[in-house]
């Protein structure tokens, strides 16, 4: 039995651990004062009055603070006026500062040298230079010639979550390795210089941010690791034309590039998220919730069976290809209901979006249920997950995620704080949320965290992490939430002494048991020899 290859069994392979992370805090001079920008636009007539009013409405409903978020000076109107610099050199300057800042902070925290990195993965959706962003970091930090590097582009906001799947696979294939994951969305090349409203929305939402995350399967780092990866789910619904075209970076009628947000963004994102949640739910729901889900499924099947018999005898509009609601496939609606209950349904193309192209999640009417027995709606707040790290794409996106997962404002707090203080930082947003949780509330050993990302494609990802020890530290990006006394008490260094004591205790216990086994074996052998001799 000792020779059984445990790594071949599900969940028994080399453990992927999150050792530590760092998020970039932009320089103070990069702060954006939206009131001053509004006044500047009106005074210089950069935009028409109605366009300025539109941008102001978007900002007020976005969840972003009017004076806390950051933009680099070459696209910040307070610095560049009406002449934003969106060239490649400016984009590289932003990316280099943000990425190296996050990576250096991580190296300082962990005490690792750049040459200790075995795998490097970077992700940025819009800015994909040559040489790559991974090469930029290899050059900036002097990493080893054999570092296994990948640079991912065009994958949108979801990739801060989705790419963990790739990193986990790489670590499972290479034992005893450190993997560095760096996320960023350079706002400079994504800045829209035109006047088309669906593209102006992105200027009001996206802000500068970056995160560096150290993952490892090295046994010697086990005592220092914060979290272990328990589940990793990714879903891509891009086979659908509606999902594929919901978000895209493209030119407007005047040839000016910008990120286009369609009216169906929330609806299409929630379709993919429903599939991801359905796959992860069995791993995080309580036994009671799972029993309720099974009972609801049985009742639903029985109800559908009775309904099918009635339809066979009397006919139905759906069976004849009726209009409107009949066009929605019942299995898709059932999947959404089982996975998240109130996940938004797609809106019609004629519905209007009050937020410049992003429609709010419509509420499902009770009459739309095809069965008299409603499908089970898992309440993730009552599951085994304690902390939720949701992509802060906008206030309405968070509202939709909160409704789908049935979370209260306390669970949504970290993601709303990210949106308020840093804006939509794309693939980095969930890592900012994790840094917020570690700073303000802390994480206790054994608690689970659910990381949820959605983005263009459409892609959805859900990761479940479990804390290996108590975690509480002050991340510089969130130090402003604490009093000076709290900052001094917590400090910025990770205290791993209790984890080391725990491992030493386990080692001493193992040695004591081994010594006892040897002693008992020797005593038995002596007794056996004595009996034979007699």
């Amino acid at each position: 039995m000792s020779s059984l290859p445990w790594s071949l069994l599900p969940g028994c392979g080399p453990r992927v651990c999150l050792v530590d992370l760092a998020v970039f805090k932009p320089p103070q001079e990069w702060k954006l004062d939206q009131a001053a920008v509004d006044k500047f636009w009106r005074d210089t007539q950069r935009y028409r009055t109605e366009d300025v009013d539109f941008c102001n409405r978007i900002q007020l409903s976005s969840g972003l603070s009017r004076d806390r978020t950051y933009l680099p000076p070459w696209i910040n109107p307070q610095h560049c006026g009406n002449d934003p610099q969106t060239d490649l050199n400016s984009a590289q300057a932003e990316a280099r500062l943000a990425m190296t800042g996050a990576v250096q902070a991580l190296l300082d925290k962990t005490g690792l040298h750049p040459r200790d990195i075995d795998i490097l993965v970077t992700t940025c959706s819009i800015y994909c230079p040559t040489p790559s962003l991974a090469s930029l970091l290899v050059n900036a930090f002097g990493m080893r010639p054999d570092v296994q590097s990948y640079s991912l582009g065009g994958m949108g906001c979801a990739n801060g979550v989705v790419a963990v799947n790739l990193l986990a696979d790489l670590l499972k294939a290479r034992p005893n390795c450190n993997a560095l994951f760096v996320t960023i969305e350079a706002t400079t090349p994504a800045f829209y210089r035109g006047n088309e409203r669906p593209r102006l929305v992105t200027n009001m939402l996206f802000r500068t941010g970056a995160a560096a995350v150290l993952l490892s399967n090295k046994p010697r780092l086990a005592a220092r690791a914060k979290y272990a990866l328990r589940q990793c789910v990714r879903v891509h619904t891009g086979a659908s034309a509606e999902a594929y075209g919901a978000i895209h970076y493209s030119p407007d009628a005047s040839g000016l590039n910008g990120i286009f947000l369609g009216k169906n963004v929330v609806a299409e994102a929630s379709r993919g998220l429903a599939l991801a949640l359905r796959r992860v739910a069995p791993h995080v729901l309580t036994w009671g919730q799972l029993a309720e889900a099974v009972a609801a499924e049985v009742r639903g099947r029985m109800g559908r069976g009775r309904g099918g018999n009635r339809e066979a005898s009397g006919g139905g509009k759906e069976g004849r290809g009726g209009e409107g609601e009949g066009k929605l496939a019942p299995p898709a609606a059932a999947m959404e209901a089982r996975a998240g209950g109130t996940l938004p349904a797609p809106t019609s193309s004629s519905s209007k979006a009050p937020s410049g192209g992003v429609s709010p999640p419509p509420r499902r009417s009770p009459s739309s249920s095809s069965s008299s027995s409603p499908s089970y709606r898992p309440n993730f707040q009552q599951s085994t997950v304690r902390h939720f790290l949701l992509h802060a794409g906008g206030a309405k996106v968070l509202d939709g995620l909160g409704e789908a997962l049935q979370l209260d404002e306390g669970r949504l707090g970290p993601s709303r704080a990210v949106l308020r203080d840093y804006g939509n930082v794309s693939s980095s947003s969930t890592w900012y949320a994790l840094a917020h949780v570690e700073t303000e509330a802390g994480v206790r050993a054994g608690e689970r965290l659910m990381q949820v990302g959605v983005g263009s494609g459409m892609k959805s990802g859900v990761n479940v992490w479990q804390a290996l020890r108590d975690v509480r530290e002050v991340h510089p990006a969130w130090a402003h939430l604490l009093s000076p006394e709290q900052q001094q008490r917590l400090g910025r260094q990770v205290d791993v002494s209790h984890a080391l004591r725990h491992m030493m205790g386990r080692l001493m216990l193992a040695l004591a048991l081994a010594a006892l086994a040897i002693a008992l074996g020797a005593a038995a052998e002596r007794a056996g020899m004595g009996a034979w001799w007699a």
Side-chain angles (χ1 to χ4, degrees), residues 137-495:
L137 291 178
V138 170
N139 176 263
F141 289 95
M143 296 183 182
R144 301 197 319 259
D146 64 341
V147 64
Q148 188 174 346
S149 64
Y150 301 89
S151 192
L152 309 177
M155 297 186 69
C157 302
N159 212 37
V161 178
V162 170
V164 171
N165 176 272
L166 169 64
L167 286 144
D169 287 346
L170 291 172
L171 285 171
K172 288 174 183 176
R174 294 188 59 184
N176 203 36
C177 283
N178 291 326
L180 175 62
F181 180 37
V182 184
T183 71
I184 184 177
E185 187 56 67
T187 56
T188 298
F191 188 83
Y192 176 56
R193 304 166 67 104
N195 297 334
E196 191 177 289
R197 289 191 175 185
R199 289 177 168 83
L200 278 176
V201 172
T202 59
N203 285 356
M204 308 306 298
L205 295 178
F206 285 90
R207 296 291 184 264
T208 296
V213 184
L214 178 64
L215 303 173
S216 181
N217 55 18
K218 282 180 175 285
R220 72 179 184 85
L221 287 179
R224 303 178 59 181
K226 292 180 174 180
Y227 311 101
L229 183 64
R230 297 307 186 200
Q231 276 82 41
C232 184
V233 173
R234 59 186 295 175
V235 168
H236 200 314
T237 57
S240 160
E242 291 78 11
Y244 179 75
I247 304 175
H248 51 87
Y249 181 66
S250 59
D252 64 8
S254 301
L256 298 174
N257 289 330
I259 299 174
F260 178 88
L261 297 179
K263 294 181 179 181
N264 60 339
V265 167
V266 175
E268 292 301 331
S270 53
R271 282 191 185 277
L273 182 58
L275 297 175
L277 290 175
R278 185 185 181 189
R279 290 170 57 185
V280 80
H283 300 283
V284 299
L285 297 182
T286 63
W287 287 111
Q289 289 177 308
L290 290 173
E292 292 178 28
V294 171
E297 179 69 14
V298 171
R299 289 195 301 268
R301 287 181 181 274
M302 293 175 63
R304 287 193 294 273
R306 290 194 296 269
N309 293 334
R310 288 195 299 269
E311 207 170 289
S313 61
K317 288 186 178 180
E318 289 82 1
R320 295 191 303 268
E323 298 295 325
E325 292 293 330
K327 289 186 178 180
L328 290 178
M335 283 190 294
E336 290 185 6
R338 286 197 297 270
T342 55
L343 284 171
T347 57
S348 68
S349 59
S350 61
S351 62
K352 293 185 178 181
S355 300
V358 183
S359 58
R363 296 186 179 275
R364 190 186 302 275
S365 66
S367 61
S368 65
S369 176
S370 61
S371 170
S372 59
S373 300
S375 298
Y376 176 67
R377 294 181 55 203
N379 186 326
F380 284 87
Q381 178 150 324
Q382 297 175 3
S383 70
T384 61
V385 177
R386 177 67 179 83
H387 304 279
F388 293 85
L389 317 171
L390 311 179
H391 168 53
K396 294 189 183 300
V397 172
L398 286 180
D399 290 344
L401 290 174
E403 188 178 1
L405 298 171
Q406 300 190 62
L407 305 179
D408 63 19
E409 282 302 312
R411 297 293 194 273
L412 294 174
S415 298
R416 291 207 189 279
V418 174
L419 195 58
R420 180 194 67 219
D421 291 359
Y422 291 95
N424 184 341
V425 287
S426 190
S427 56
S428 304
S429 64
T430 56
W431 301 111
Y432 276 81
L434 177 55
H436 179 281
V437 168
E438 292 185 352
T439 299
E440 192 167 65
V443 182
R444 298 183 66 84
E447 289 183 343
R448 292 185 178 185
L449 306 90
M450 179 181 285
Q451 186 184 25
V452 179
V454 293
S456 60
M458 297 287 293
K459 291 179 290 297
S460 301
V462 179
N463 299 328
V464 178
W465 304 88
Q466 188 165 22
L468 299 174
R469 57 182 176 85
D470 292 348
V471 179
R472 182 77 191 276
E473 65 170 289
V474 180
H475 287 265
W478 297 108
H480 61 278
L481 300 180
L482 304 178
S483 67
E485 292 75 18
Q486 289 175 307
Q487 294 185 39
Q488 185 175 7
R489 184 173 68 252
L490 291 173
R492 295 183 180 174
Q493 299 300 318
V494 183
D495 180 12

Side-chain angles (χ1 to χ4, degrees), residues 1-27:
M1 191 69 177
S2 60
S3 61
L4 181 67
W6 294 103
S7 61
L8 298 181
L9 299 179
C12 296
R15 185 163 61 173
V16 176
C17 294
L18 192 162
V19 179
D20 216 328
L21 76 151
V23 295
F24 174 65
K25 183 175 183 179

Side-chain angles (χ1 to χ4, degrees), residues 28-39:
Q28 191 72 12
E29 57 269 22
W30 285 20
K31 276 200 171 180
L32 177 72
D33 185 341
Q34 191 61 47
V37 172
D38 287 348
K39 183 178 184 303

